Amino acid sequence: MRTLRHLAGFLIGLVVTAAVLGGGGWAVQQVVGNAEASTPDNQKMWIALGAMAAIGLVVGLVVAGRVSPVATFVPSMVLLAWTVVYALDVNRAISLIPSEPSVNQIIRDAGFGAKTLLTTGVYALLGVALFIPVLMPSRWSRPHDELDEDYETTPEGSYY
């Protein structure tokens, strides 16, 4: 049973990683592009801010919830590893971002936003915040069912 919980945590971690890297990168690129535009598009800005809020909600639920700590370990390791690669070799870290013209424009936008988040240290900050639940031993144990501990059988004919 514990293995299934951690497998589910791994799958949730993959979804959170994709949301932070893809969705967060896309949203940041939309907001930055909108701020630099001579005539800002309010609809794009609201959609991007809504995407950021949704990603923040997903990350918050995973950090605060009683899901397996693997759900926060996977995205934290991806973000921290990419930050370490950036600190050691900037060109190699930037080369991991898809920017070729053959790539879909949405993927390129997400990549440019991810570059902004990487170079400003936001991924390092988020990676550390996602790693904190991994350090809590209570997150690794299965939640106890309190009804089982409090239940006592009483003999027939007793008052309690």
Side-chain angles (χ1 to χ4, degrees), residues 3-13 67-68 71:
T3 306
L4 289 178
R5 184 173 90 102
H6 294 312
L7 177 64
F10 179 75
L11 295 175
I12 291 169
V67 181
S68 167

Side-chain angles (χ1 to χ4, degrees), residues 15-31 47-56 106-107 109-111 113-114 117 123:
V15 170
V16 170
T17 303
V20 169
L21 292 177
W26 176 84
V28 165
Q29 178 60 24
Q30 295 302 313
V31 169
I47 291 170
L49 290 174
M52 285 184 195
I55 293 163
I106 294 173
I107 304 295
D109 286 347
L117 293 171
Y123 280 164

Side-chain angles (χ1 to χ4, degrees), residues 35-70:
E36 293 174 350
S38 58
T39 57
D41 184 5
N42 285 336
Q43 183 179 6
K44 273 187 175 180
M45 179 117 102
W46 282 109
I47 291 170
L49 290 174
M52 285 184 195
I55 293 163
L57 177 67
V58 168
V59 169
L61 287 174
V62 169
V63 168
R66 286 289 298 170
V67 181
S68 167
V70 176

Side-chain angles (χ1 to χ4, degrees), residues 1-148:
M1 194 58 107
R2 184 175 296 196
T3 306
L4 289 178
R5 184 173 90 102
H6 294 312
L7 177 64
F10 179 75
L11 295 175
I12 291 169
L14 291 178
V15 170
V16 170
T17 303
V20 169
L21 292 177
W26 176 84
V28 165
Q29 178 60 24
Q30 295 302 313
V31 169
V32 169
N34 197 29
E36 293 174 350
S38 58
T39 57
D41 184 5
N42 285 336
Q43 183 179 6
K44 273 187 175 180
M45 179 117 102
W46 282 109
I47 291 170
L49 290 174
M52 285 184 195
I55 293 163
L57 177 67
V58 168
V59 169
L61 287 174
V62 169
V63 168
R66 286 289 298 170
V67 181
S68 167
V70 176
T72 60
F73 183 71
V74 171
S76 72
M77 285 297 103
V78 169
L79 296 174
L80 291 174
W82 199 10
T83 302
V84 168
V85 170
Y86 178 74
L88 297 176
D89 189 359
V90 174
N91 293 329
R92 180 173 297 242
I94 300 299
S95 72
L96 297 172
I97 299 171
S99 59
E100 295 81 25
S102 63
V103 176
N104 190 329
Q105 182 63 38
I106 294 173
I107 304 295
R108 278 187 286 163
D109 286 347
F112 291 137
K115 179 180 176 184
T116 301
L117 293 171
L118 176 67
T119 58
T120 57
V122 174
Y123 280 164
L125 176 100
L126 191 56
V128 170
L130 284 167
F131 189 72
I132 297 299
V134 176
L135 300 175
M136 296 179 191
S138 63
R139 296 286 300 259
W140 289 97
S141 63
R142 194 177 75 191
H144 298 292
D145 189 7
E146 294 181 17
L147 294 176
D148 290 340

